[in-house]
Each structure stands twice: as C-alpha cells, then as structure tokens.
Amino acid sequence: MDGSRIRRALRVLGFLALVTALALAVQHWGYRAALTDMSRRGAADLALASDRLTGELQRYRQLSVLTARHPYLAPRLTGPDAGRAEALLRQTADMTGALDIVLLDTEGREIAAAGRVTRRRDAGTPWFERAMDGALGVAHLSSRRYGRRVFFFAAPIFSPDGPVIGAVLVITDVEAIEASWRGDRPALFFTDDADRVFVSNRSELVGRSDLGLVSRHHTAGHEIWRMRAGPYLPERGLHLTQPLPVIGLRGEALLDTAPARRIALLQAAAAAALCLAFGALLFLATVRRRTLARANARLEERVARRTVALQAVNANLQREVAERAAAEARLRRAQADLVQAGKLSALGQMSAGISHELNQPLMAIRSFAENAETFLARGNPEAAGRNLGRISELARRMGRIIRNLRAFARQESEAMVDVDLIAVVEAALEMAGARARQAEVEILWTPPAAPVLVRGGEVRLQQVVLNLVGNAIDAMEGREAKRLAIDIAQGGDRVRLIVRDSGPGISAPDRIFDPFYTTKEVGASEGMGLGLSISYGLVQSFGGAIRGRNHEDGGAEFTVELDRARASEAA
C-alpha cells in the first residue's frame, strides 16, 4: 500500500516537473516571438519618425537653395538695393516658418537678415566654409544667439561670372518641429556623433549623452537595454537604431519590453493550465475507469437483450416495407393501366370521326385513280399526273392520321424529354378534328412562329390536350355558339397552354380534378369522370400544374403550366 502511494506521488511530481519545463519553454519562445513582433513595429515607428524629421528639415534645405538663387540677393552683396533683400528675407521667413534667414558675404559678415543683423561672423564655421566651397553646408547646434537648438543650412550664392560671392543661412527651430510629436510612444531620440541627444520626443533626454544605461544584452538577435533614466523611460527596453546621414544624426528608439514579458508569461500560464487540466482529467479518467468497466458490463448485457428485441422489430419492419413496395408497384401498374384505358376510351369516342376521316380520302383516291385511267386512255398524261399527285397527298394525309393514332395508342414509359408543345397541340387537334367538325365547333388556334419546347412526355402530353379538347366539345353540346380557343403564353421559366370554350362553365371548380366527378348527364356519354383526374396526375408528373376556372366572359378555361425546356433556355 505504501509502495503504491510512493509510486503515485512520484508520478505526480514527475508530471509537475514536466509541466514546469514546458511552461518555461513556452515563456522563452513566446518572449522571443513577442520581441520579434515588437521590433518589427518599433522599426516601422522609428522609420516613420525619421522620415518625418528629415522631411521637415528637407523643406528648409530646399528653401536655402532656392533663396540663394533669388536675383535680389547677389546685388545686395555688391551694393545697396533699397532694402529689397531685407524685405525678401523677412517675407520668406514669415511664409515658411524659418527662425531666421541671414545673408553673409565672403568674410562671413551678416549683410542682411530676416531678424536683427549682428556683427557676429560665421567665417571658419564648417557650414560656412562648405558654402564657400560651392556646396550646401548643414549643421546642428544649441545657439546662444537664439537661445534654442537649431539647424543651419548654408547655400552658396554664385556671381554671374561663376565664383561664390556670399551665402544664405537658413536657421530652423528644432523645438518647433519636435513639439508636435513630443510624448508619443515609443521613446524616440536622435543623437549626433558624440552620442548626445539633439532631438527627442522626451524632453528629459535632450542634451544628454548619459541615458542611465545600466547594462545591455542580446536576446534572439535583439538588443535589450536595462536603464535607470526616470519615470518616462522603460527600465527594460528594446533598443533600435537607424542611421540618418542626410542630417548627420542617428535615430534611436526604446520600446518597453514589459508587454512582451506579460504576453510570454500569459502564454506560459495558459500552457501550464492546459497541462494541469489535462492531467486532472487523466487522473479522473483513471479513477473512473473501473466504475465505467463495471457499468459497461451491465450495459452490454442490457444491449444484448435489447438487440434481440430490435432484431425482431426489424424483421417485422422489413416485411412491412416489402408489402408496401409491392402495393406501390401494383398502384403504379394500375395507374398506367388507367392512363392507357383513358386513351383507348378517347379513341373509342373518336372512332366514328376517325373512320370518316379515313373513308373520305379512300373514296377520293378511288375516284382520282379511275379518272387517271381515263385520262391515260385519252392520251392526256398531264391531267393523269395531277390526279396521281392528289392521290399521293391524300395517302400522306391518311398516313399522318394513322401515325398519330398509333403514337397516341402506345403506352409511353420513357423519362421526360424536350417536347414541342405546338406539335402536341397540332396532333391532338388532328385526332379530334373530325369530332369537332361533326359537333360544328369552331376551333380558334394560331400557333406561334417558332417551336415552343417544354419538359414532358409527348404521348402523355397529347392525352392531356386531347382530354381538354374532348371535354370542351362535350361541354358545348346544345349551345348556339361553339368556339374552342387554344393559346400558348410564354414568360420566364414557365410556358402556359390555355384552352377555353364557350360552354356553360364549371359548376364546382374545386372538384373538377377529383376522380369519378363528372357534370355529364347519365347516358349522355361513356365518361366516368376520370379524364381530368388522369390529366392532373400526368401534368403533376411533368413538374407542372393544371388549373380550371370560369372565365369572366363565360365558358370554362383550363390552364396547363409546364417548365420551359433547357434547350430553349440555353438558346
């Protein structure tokens, strides 16, 4: 028992040591990553501040060059000019914000100035000597004359013959430049070759060469300073530098590393917390393993009993599914037989008219054949040829009627295809034409010029149109005006076929698609009220819709709405 406790304690201590090592590693790498990110952002801030300082000074640099070229200044060095040079210098200083602009001769004496002219000579100064050599002199210093830090820009003035005859000295107030960004983060300062701070956004650093540096070291390639420089500078800071040879300074930045240390510490704490939580869960899982094993044994026994019961239920469900599948198959066969019976019933109703349609061309063919024999016997082959042409046309007409009847009578089982709705209507009218003429029905039908392609089955769609036409003819029986209007409307993704008659209308529009519902008198026809019900099912199978209503001007109107064919959409 004691040995077991000791092993358990050793495992816990080993786990805690591993967690501590992992947390320290996470802190180390997190600190390095945070320093890298801080260095990248600090370098961008330092570059921005450096560009800002050099950009401000560049204005005065260019000002000195442009002012030196002004035509008022050279004459002033050689003689009086009625004060034009002094006025120019004052106006330029006022407009540009320069602290002062001074005109110097070759001896370094002040000839004119925007402010007060003094007897001080600049001869021997580096900036003046550089200007006398024909170049631009640049310098920075703390001026006793102006009582502040300034930048000097000395530009040479050339005579028309070429030699330097003087210089223009533009003095810039550094404090005016740094006033707008004093106190910003991070701490920025610009030092000269003597490591003395000349420009900074921390006023306590200006003029100092000793920044209170205690020690410095490198971490992951970054220089870290440890300082005691007052409350406005970090005790530990990331030191960044950027040379600025254009203005003779070096830009430096100090970024407080406390946020990086906090981030690294938080990451280490989070890693330790996750490891401890994982260890606690692992310990709890180990403790509960035996309890779960016993519960699992009881559960397996219960599952085994439940499995036997479920197998029995599953067997019953499989038998029910098989019975339902057989019933659905019988229902589909019954529906197909019903559709076929409806087509044959329609053919039966049209049989007398179809017989007349076929008998009439046969009688005409016989008459034209006898006449052709007579014309040939008389030696008139042209008339005989015309009769033979009429016989051929009548034969084509009979073939077309028989072909439509055969296509309509067959049992279609193909999937939906692109069907020309105009051809479907034409075929249906051709089959019902004799019946319509016998009933003295005027058919108003003007087909569109271009084919109208819809999704459906050609034969089944013919049956729908033939049912609507046949019902309309039956409905107009006994009416004085018998007109059947058929129209096709197109719009969007749907095509509408509209069939309207001049009959008495629909007595119960909500029930017209119910099976075995009919408005025909008993004995008036052989209809059983299944035509519209079959048509409703066929249109639904095409993904379309069929509606019936009473028209405002009288009569019934049926609308068949079908999807436009994909081929017509692509076109």
Side-chain angles (χ1 to χ4, degrees):
M1 189 68 177
D2 293 338
S4 175
R5 290 181 178 178
I6 292 174
R7 286 193 298 272
R8 192 159 49 245
L10 290 175
R11 284 196 294 269
V12 172
L13 290 176
F15 177 73
L16 292 177
L18 181 62
V19 170
T20 303
L22 178 62
L24 291 175
V26 169
Q27 182 181 11
H28 175 71
W29 290 109
Y31 182 58
R32 292 167 65 95
L35 283 180
T36 300
D37 184 62
M38 183 180 295
S39 174
R40 184 167 53 252
R41 288 186 282 107
D45 293 338
L46 178 58
L48 182 62
S50 300
D51 292 343
R52 191 173 177 181
L53 176 61
T54 54
E56 289 288 340
L57 296 177
Q58 187 69 18
R59 290 195 304 123
Y60 298 102
R61 180 189 183 99
Q62 295 173 354
L63 175 63
S64 64
V65 175
L66 293 176
T67 306
R69 296 178 180 178
H70 200 281
Y72 284 2
L73 299 185
R76 180 66 178 86
L77 293 171
T78 57
D81 63 345
R84 289 189 302 175
E86 286 81 354
L88 172 67
L89 297 180
R90 283 193 297 271
Q91 183 180 11
T92 303
D94 292 340
M95 294 177 63
T96 60
L99 183 62
D100 198 359
I101 302 177
V102 180
L103 178 63
L104 304 174
D105 61 10
T106 55
E107 300 298 327
R109 292 189 299 268
E110 295 185 7
I111 304 302
R116 181 174 56 86
V117 178
T118 65
R119 295 182 179 181
R120 187 178 65 87
R121 292 190 179 186
D122 284 34
T125 59
W127 60 89
F128 179 75
E129 296 302 328
R130 184 168 175 79
M132 289 299 99
D133 290 338
L136 179 67
V138 180
H140 58 274
L141 51 87
S142 295
S143 173
R144 285 178 296 179
R145 174 181 177 180
Y146 298 104
R148 63 191 66 196
R149 290 166 290 136
V150 296
F151 260 90
F152 285 172
F153 295 98
I157 301 176
F158 296 96
S159 67
D161 299 332
V164 176
I165 59 174
V168 171
L169 185 63
V170 176
I171 298 95
T172 305
D173 186 3
V174 174
E175 295 181 6
I177 296 176
E178 68 181 9
S180 61
W181 45 284
R182 182 173 291 128
D184 292 348
R185 292 182 181 272
L188 300 171
F189 50 95
F190 299 87
T191 58
D192 54 19
D193 295 338
D195 292 334
R196 185 176 300 276
V197 177
F198 187 72
V199 183
S200 177
N201 61 356
R202 298 290 188 271
S203 58
E204 63 270 19
L205 295 181
V206 175
R208 294 178 57 178
S209 58
D210 178 17
L211 300 180
L213 179 63
V214 176
S215 64
R216 69 179 73 184
H217 64 276
H218 290 81
T219 300
H222 304 293
E223 185 178 9
I224 307 297
W225 281 13
R226 188 172 181 181
M227 307 173 59
R228 291 194 183 99
Y232 301 105
L233 291 176
E235 292 184 2
R236 291 184 181 179
L238 174 63
H239 181 239
L240 302 174
T241 62
Q242 178 177 342
L244 302 174
V246 176
I247 59 176
L249 297 176
R250 180 177 66 253
E252 301 183 52
L254 274 177
L255 289 79
D256 192 358
T257 59
R261 294 195 301 272
R262 284 195 298 270
I263 291 174
L265 185 60
L266 288 175
Q267 290 175 344
L274 287 175
C275 291
L276 291 175
F278 176 75
L281 291 176
L282 184 62
F283 177 76
L284 292 176
T286 303
V287 171
R288 297 187 60 185
R289 184 174 56 184
R290 292 182 180 178
T291 304
L292 290 176
R294 290 193 295 269
N296 187 47
R298 292 194 298 268
L299 181 61
E300 286 181 355
E301 182 182 356
R302 191 178 301 171
V303 167
R305 292 196 301 268
R306 186 61 177 167
T307 300
V308 174
L310 288 176
Q311 286 175 349
V313 173
N314 187 38
N316 293 332
L317 288 176
Q318 288 179 351
R319 286 196 297 271
E320 290 183 6
V321 169
E323 292 174 359
R324 287 181 181 271
E328 290 179 358
R330 290 194 297 271
L331 178 60
R332 285 193 294 270
R333 287 195 297 270
Q335 288 175 341
D337 294 340
L338 184 60
V339 171
Q340 188 67 12
K343 291 194 288 186
L344 295 178
S345 174
L347 289 175
Q349 292 180 3
M350 295 185 296
S351 60
I354 293 172
S355 299
H356 178 73
E357 287 293 309
L358 295 176
N359 187 50
Q360 195 175 36
L362 283 174
M363 296 298 295
I365 287 172
R366 179 179 177 181
S367 175
F368 284 133
E370 292 175 351
N371 290 338
E373 290 179 355
T374 303
F375 286 134
L376 289 174
R378 294 177 178 177
N380 190 355
E382 294 181 359
R386 286 194 296 272
N387 281 5
L388 291 176
R390 292 170 183 168
I391 291 173
S392 176
E393 179 62 30
L394 291 171
R396 280 194 296 271
R397 177 184 173 189
M398 293 175 64
R400 188 170 63 250
I401 294 173
I402 294 172
R403 184 171 59 255
N404 288 336
L405 290 174
R406 290 177 63 187
F408 181 74
R410 76 173 185 266
Q411 190 163 357
E412 183 185 52
S413 60
E414 290 83 0
M416 289 197 301
V417 295
D418 294 348
V419 179
D420 185 2
L421 186 57
I422 298 176
V424 169
V425 174
E426 296 282 358
L429 290 178
E430 190 167 19
M431 288 187 283
R435 184 179 173 192
R437 288 191 292 273
Q438 185 178 359
E440 298 180 349
V441 174
E442 179 185 2
I443 296 178
L444 305 177
W445 159 245
T446 302
V452 180
L453 300 179
V454 296
R455 296 291 292 172
E458 183 176 5
V459 176
R460 288 172 286 174
L461 199 53
Q462 284 182 7
Q463 183 174 357
V464 172
V465 178
L466 195 58
N467 281 340
L468 295 178
V469 172
N471 286 344
I473 294 174
D474 291 341
M476 291 185 291
E477 184 177 354
R479 309 283 291 188
E480 292 183 0
K482 300 179 182 180
R483 288 186 299 276
L484 176 62
I486 302 176
D487 190 18
I488 293 177
Q490 305 181 59
D493 296 334
R494 305 281 273 186
V495 176
R496 295 187 302 278
L497 174 66
I498 303 170
V499 179
R500 179 188 169 196
D501 60 54
S502 60
I506 307 171
S507 59
D510 296 337
R511 298 185 56 198
I512 55 175
F513 297 112
D514 294 343
F516 305 110
Y517 174 76
T518 180
T519 58
K520 300 174 184 177
E521 298 180 359
V522 177
S525 68
E526 297 179 358
M528 297 179 63
L530 293 175
L532 288 178
S533 178
I534 293 172
S535 299
Y536 182 85
L538 292 175
V539 174
Q540 289 285 329
S541 69
F542 301 151
I546 181 170
R547 297 184 297 273
R549 69 183 185 97
N550 290 318
H551 197 272
E552 294 83 355
D553 298 332
E557 180 182 87
F558 285 86
T559 302
V560 178
E561 193 171 284
L562 299 168
D563 289 332
R564 186 187 296 272
R566 288 187 293 269
S568 61
E569 291 174 359

